[in-house]
Amino acid sequence: MSAAVTCPGCRASVPDVAEMREHPYVGSAPGCWLLYSEVLAREYGDLRYTPAHQLTVDAYAVLHPGVPERRTAQSVAIHLVGLCLSLERGRGPGELPRLRQRLAAPKRIFPWLEPPASVGELTITQVHAAETPEADRTLVDRWARSAWEAWSAHHEQVRTWADELG
Ligand SMILES: [Zn+2]
């Protein structure tokens, strides 16, 4: 039996795997990062899971904003724009990396957006537990929407950034 800890980012109860190295700037518990890595491995390794990949990356990033610094501010901004483009503007996953790159021009400084008090109804743990590609897709979609909703105080700012991309 392994102990559980609460992830400082998404507040999920995750396995305590303190010996793992934390990601340098994502604000997640190592056990949460481990679950995320396994979800990513499934998305890379099984084409049936691949369509959910972009939303997974964006949702995970905005739920683990970390502490205010240049890189974390940029990460949160870029991934919130990703959610906005996917969920509100119907942009397909294939377009997002290119759009994201255009937004993150070299030396651009994004303001730090204060993270929401509530992180929404779902976390990576439910997505990780999905047993079929269909269940995974539905859960990732709900998870991404709840993450986007959690950041509603900053929607106007994020939409302004999304507008820059046409
Ligand atoms: Zn987490």
Side-chain angles (χ1 to χ4, degrees):
M1 264 192 35
S2 64
V5 294
T6 300
C7 176
C10 67
R11 326 250 164 93
S13 180
V14 293
D16 185 7
V17 287
E19 75 277 9
M20 281 184 56
R21 204 171 64 82
E22 288 189 51
H23 185 281
Y25 63 91
V26 169
S28 58
C32 187
W33 185 255
L34 178 66
L35 295 180
Y36 177 56
S37 305
E38 290 175 1
V39 168
L40 291 186
R42 188 166 68 185
E43 291 174 353
Y44 289 128
D46 184 336
L47 284 178
R48 297 170 303 158
Y49 286 88
T50 304
H53 179 62
Q54 201 63 55
L55 279 180
T56 301
V57 171
D58 287 334
Y60 192 85
V62 305
L63 293 177
H64 300 86
V67 295
E69 56 165 289
R70 188 174 176 276
R71 286 182 307 177
T72 52
Q74 170 165 320
S75 169
V76 166
I78 298 286
H79 290 290
L80 281 173
V81 170
L83 289 177
C84 176
L85 293 172
S86 298
L87 300 175
E88 294 197 339
R89 308 200 174 178
R91 297 294 197 131
E95 298 177 273
L96 289 184
R98 182 178 53 83
L99 292 170
R100 207 197 291 286
Q101 214 166 17
R102 267 174 55 199
L103 196 65
K107 300 203 176 124
R108 178 164 186 176
I109 307 282
F110 287 92
W112 172 253
L113 303 181
E114 197 53 40
S118 162
V119 293
E121 51 159 351
L122 289 171
T123 69
I124 192 72
T125 54
Q126 286 95 354
V127 172
H128 184 267
E131 289 179 348
T132 66
E134 294 72 28
D136 176 78
R137 194 68 196 278
T138 304
L139 280 165
V140 168
D141 199 69
R142 272 179 53 204
W143 178 47
R145 284 176 197 283
S146 81
W148 172 241
E149 277 315 307
W151 282 86
S152 57
H154 298 294
H155 280 181
E156 284 317 309
Q157 172 63 73
V158 176
R159 288 173 185 138
T160 303
W161 288 328
D163 288 342
E164 287 177 31
L165 302 170

